[in-house]
Amino acid sequence: MTILLLLIPVTIALGAVGLIVFLWTLKSGQYEDLQGAAERVLDDENDDRPPE
């Protein structure tokens, strides 16, 4: 039972850290251009294969 006195604050602290990191990524613009990242995957312009 005494382990709950340790685990509950640790769980709340880890949840708060996760929330702070998520809000920081939102503020820094990590999720601004999701469509551009999806299109860059399909772009063959920077292909390193030699021409045929």
Side-chain angles (χ1 to χ4, degrees), residues 32-43:
E32 293 284 328
D33 186 22
L34 296 177
Q35 190 64 30
E39 291 175 1
R40 280 193 300 273
V41 170
L42 300 175
D43 187 17

Side-chain angles (χ1 to χ4, degrees), residues 18-41:
L19 180 63
I20 290 169
V21 169
F22 174 69
L23 293 174
W24 174 65
T25 60
L26 279 177
K27 185 177 179 184
S28 68
Q30 293 289 320
Y31 307 111
E32 293 284 328
D33 186 22
L34 296 177
Q35 190 64 30
E39 291 175 1
R40 280 193 300 273
V41 170

Side-chain angles (χ1 to χ4, degrees), residues 7-24:
L7 288 178
I8 290 173
V10 168
T11 304
I12 292 172
L14 286 175
V17 168
L19 180 63
I20 290 169
V21 169
F22 174 69
L23 293 174
W24 174 65

